[in-house]
Amino acid sequence: MSQHSSVTRPRRLSDISHFEREVDVLIVGYGGAGVCSAIESARAGARTLALEAAGGGGGTTAMSTAHLYLGGGTRVQKACGIDDSPEEMFRFIMACAEDPDEEKVRLYCEGSVAHFEWLVSLGVPFKDSIFRERVVFQPTDDCLLWSGNEKAWPFRELAVPAARGHKVQMEGDAGPLLFRVLSEAAAAAGAELLCDTRACALIEDDAGRVVGVVATHFGREVAFLARRGVVLSAGGFAMNPDMLRRHAPELLTPGVVPIGNPHDDGSGIQLGSSAGGAAVHMDACFLSVPFYPPSSHTRGIFVNAHGQRFVAEDSYHGRVGDHCRRQPEGRAYLILDDACYVPSEGGREVIAVEASIEALERALGMPESALVNSVAFFNRFAALGEDPLFHKSREWLAPLSHPPFAALECSFGKTWYPAFTLGGLGTRASGEVLTEAGEVVPGLFAAGRNACNIPRSASGYASGTCVGDATFFGRLAGRSAAASPPWK
Ligand SMILES: Cc1cc2nc3c(=O)[nH]c(=O)nc-3n(C[C@H](O)[C@H](O)[C@H](O)COP(=O)(O)OP(=O)(O)OC[C@H]3O[C@@H](n4cnc5c(N)ncnc54)[C@H](O)[C@@H]3O)c2cc1C
């Protein structure tokens, strides 16, 4: 087990002499998935206790912007004139995802409007408005954002595009507000929370059923019995270098900045694995090269070290980041002309500015004529409003013809890439943790980044799928655990 999370193998029930508490459902980790599990479990009448390693709940969910990827015709979509249906949302997610779990995607899309209404019923505010500029997140309290690859090729041909990024109504990052409303609902439902309590081992009975958790609480080891189920909702593993080395080594590349809370150490995934749960898609991560705003940079072209384009620049920044990573030696540059370049605070470094594309090509050390030919080809068709190679939308097409020309450093390994992990335990849609052989680990459930549900790849990621998925499948896991037959 990793020294970064100090999880140990399961304890035998017969070895536990004293239980601090006995409950029906025990939740490990109180962020987005955990608090939603707690609400549903407590509302189902189960005695529910959440253990939280930090001094308070919230986790990465409370640090987030609080975009939730929801659709199928929510109140906000309708108010903003965005046509959507569960079927189009399903088509889009299936088209984007690598190795999607069809049953989970269908459930998520068909339950999306109801999930939105559930959040509203708890008091989570969403404004009936849309922010139309191309940004990573809107600075205002507006709700809807085109937060993925919906309008980029080939996805716009595979599903009718719709804006689905729903941000909780608050200027700036709304994660704290989202978590406050959810935790108040959990408390009102009767769920209890014990902070500064870090789960470090599961407890199994003689039949191999998970029946509790051993945790450390201010240096003391304490045991908790769960009569119906344990829900693992302890977040991802971006902060565990050992696990990253093993599963997602790209996140250790210079320049990549793993983001999340300090307890994103994979302990929940390790707890699940210790009981036989199989972790899946552990190499999957969100890996982004934020190059907009300013939105005008979308008019530029991304090229690799051979001067060749490789992605539609109107794709989501996470998809572009993933494509940059896959280029030879990770080298990637955004080429802009004077008409579309806008200096931006904290933006990508300008590594060359030249009066001609020939000079820029030389400055970047590219083979002769490589960039010149790419720009000439792009310009010829852009003037006609076409992009035969990557089908960038007309609204972003204009010849790069106004000197000087600039190259922005976007190379993977040389510049800032925020990242976090997406892999987790394989589960049924109900949250039941599965073994390698596809059998249920009795008594054990997982959700949020401890599981692997909707977001499964950098190239198909859309903002809002993590918090959307954590809250949606967290609820299912809480409900399933509460409905499990009691142990003894
Ligand atoms: C800056 C930032 C912004 C983001 N914005 C968005 C966004 O707008 N939309 C979106 O979809 N995604 C966003 N993400 C990703 C998203 O926030 C996370 O993937 C998601 O919130 C994870 O939810 P979770 O419930 O799985 O984990 P968390 O919310 O992190 O909760 C896990 C909890 O478990 C606790 N814990 C860990 N180990 C243990 C243990 N052993 N015992 C007990 N407790 C433990 C942690 O302290 C934490 O409180 C963002 C990420 C970052 C870093």
Side-chain angles (χ1 to χ4, degrees), residues 6 31 47 52 141 144 266 349 416 473:
S6 33
R47 288 170 303 157
E52 167 55 50
D141 68 353
L144 271 183
E349 186 193 356
W416 177 64
F473 288 99

Side-chain angles (χ1 to χ4, degrees), residues 5 7 27-35 50-69 137 166-167 173 175 179 194 197-200 213 215 232-236 239 258-268 271 286 419-422 447-451 455 461-471:
S5 70
V7 165
I27 293 169
V28 175
Y30 206 57
V35 71
L51 308 180
E52 167 55 50
T60 303
T61 305
M63 297 167 62
S64 78
T65 309
H67 274 134
L68 290 89
Y69 197 83
F137 52 84
H166 288 65
K167 180 172 172 266
D173 292 335
F179 186 74
L194 193 57
T197 308
R198 172 177 192 76
C200 55
V213 164
L232 299 174
S233 48
M239 300 303 163
I259 54 172
N261 81 82
H263 297 285
D264 273 338
D265 61 6
S267 52
L271 286 167
F286 164 86
F420 51 79
T421 61
L422 299 176
R449 300 286 68 72
N450 274 182
Y461 191 84
S463 277
T465 43
C466 273
V467 176
D469 159 308
T471 52

